[in-house]
Amino acid sequence: MDFPPYLGSMPMHAITEIHGEPGLLERFRLEIATFDDEARSRLTEALDLAADLHRDDRRVREPYLNHLLRVAIRMMHHYRVRDVDVIVAGLLHDAVEDHPAELAGDVGEGADPVPAALAVLAARFGQRVAGLVAAVTNPTWDPDRDRHAQYREHVAASLDRDPWARVIKISDFTDNGVGVIHTTGPKVLSSARKYRPLVPVLRELVARPDTPLAPEVKEHIFAQLDLAEERFRAILDDPAHTH
């Protein structure tokens, strides 16, 4: 497939709409071209694992891998992340949450596959990658409590401890939150309700001095959070969604 020479400057959702998964894969290859051979090998291995685990997953109108590619590309291009562990963890950030048993293999009947799945990631990519993935993996929810409230508490607590996990989560949030206008159906409203209360939480976390991003990158993220809030407000304040 032929891609335009300006693919490297196209917004990611524009690539998604026009060129689909092949376009995002090509953009990912462009982004990692400046890394050394060892780094490119690790990143390609993580991409291959993510593609295999999520091969049958969909996000409303698109393959799930598109989301993971955008999260990784955003960190490299917009956040200027060169830390390979962080990008690998970005590609695999939903692997343990969505496919723990497949990743872990046979752990015995009734056993929790999550620790074994994290151990597999640690063996293949290092303990730091596994720790970053663990930090952005949702726990089992208490059925007697509001799920969205538990989600916000988990995000605040896990990201408080790990500055680099904040970088992964903010890229994930941007794809889900700012990108809410690129989805359809009931997920538009449910996403707005889930993510809108996270905006001030993430803003405070990004603003912390130990969040390892340049000041101008943080300003870019703050603008994205403003845009997400604007879109959530338009969705949730729509009279059609008041009941």
Side-chain angles (χ1 to χ4, degrees):
M1 183 180 291
D2 292 329
F3 300 105
Y6 50 83
L7 187 77
S9 64
M10 287 179 68
M12 278 177 286
H13 281 287
I15 296 175
T16 303
E17 292 295 331
I18 297 170
H19 302 292
E21 183 181 306
L24 289 170
L25 286 167
E26 179 63 19
R27 175 63 180 271
F28 180 81
R29 285 189 281 270
L30 290 174
E31 293 292 340
I32 69 171
T34 57
F35 287 77
D36 63 33
D37 290 346
E38 181 183 357
R40 288 200 304 274
S41 177
R42 290 188 72 216
L43 290 164
T44 302
E45 182 182 357
L47 174 61
D48 289 345
L49 177 58
D52 183 47
L53 290 171
H54 296 278
R55 61 190 176 277
D56 297 322
D57 297 346
R58 303 283 301 178
R59 273 171 58 97
V60 186
R61 299 186 302 131
E62 61 177 340
Y64 200 87
L65 186 64
N66 287 3
H67 166 64
L68 305 175
L69 284 163
R70 290 192 298 262
V71 167
I73 294 165
R74 183 177 294 105
M75 289 194 293
M76 290 186 283
H77 187 81
H78 292 294
Y79 302 174
R80 306 176 195 170
V81 173
R82 306 294 293 177
D83 188 320
V84 176
D85 283 347
V86 176
I87 304 165
V88 166
L91 287 166
L92 296 169
H93 77 270
D94 282 328
V96 173
E97 185 174 314
D98 292 346
H99 296 284
E102 187 175 352
L103 188 57
D106 185 10
V107 296
E109 187 176 352
D112 182 2
V114 168
L118 289 169
V120 169
L121 291 186
R124 289 187 63 171
F125 299 102
Q127 186 58 54
R128 183 165 175 251
V129 168
L132 286 165
V133 172
V136 295
T137 296
N138 291 332
T140 302
W141 307 120
D142 180 349
D144 295 326
R145 296 187 58 218
D146 180 76
R147 184 166 177 165
H148 289 175
Q150 292 179 75
Y151 174 70
R152 292 191 294 274
E153 291 170 9
H154 163 71
V155 168
S158 64
L159 302 189
D160 178 69
R161 297 186 294 267
D162 196 327
W164 275 112
R166 297 171 201 164
V167 178
I168 298 169
K169 176 52 76 173
I170 194 67
S171 186
D172 178 41
F173 173 87
T174 298
D175 206 60
N176 291 321
V178 178
V180 70
I181 62 170
H182 297 282
T183 192
T184 58
K187 190 170 176 62
V188 175
L189 183 57
S190 64
S191 293
R193 286 174 171 162
K194 176 181 179 180
Y195 293 120
R196 188 181 192 181
L198 270 186
V199 172
V201 174
L202 292 173
R203 190 184 300 277
E204 189 275 328
L205 287 165
V206 170
R208 291 185 185 181
D210 66 334
T211 299
L213 296 169
E216 58 271 27
V217 173
K218 291 186 178 184
E219 289 302 317
H220 166 79
I221 290 171
F222 294 146
Q224 291 289 286
L225 290 173
D226 289 342
L227 182 57
E229 171 62 29
E230 178 183 321
R231 290 176 176 177
F232 296 150
R233 184 167 57 248
I235 293 165
L236 295 173
D237 293 350
D238 184 337
H241 295 149
T242 57
H243 300 291

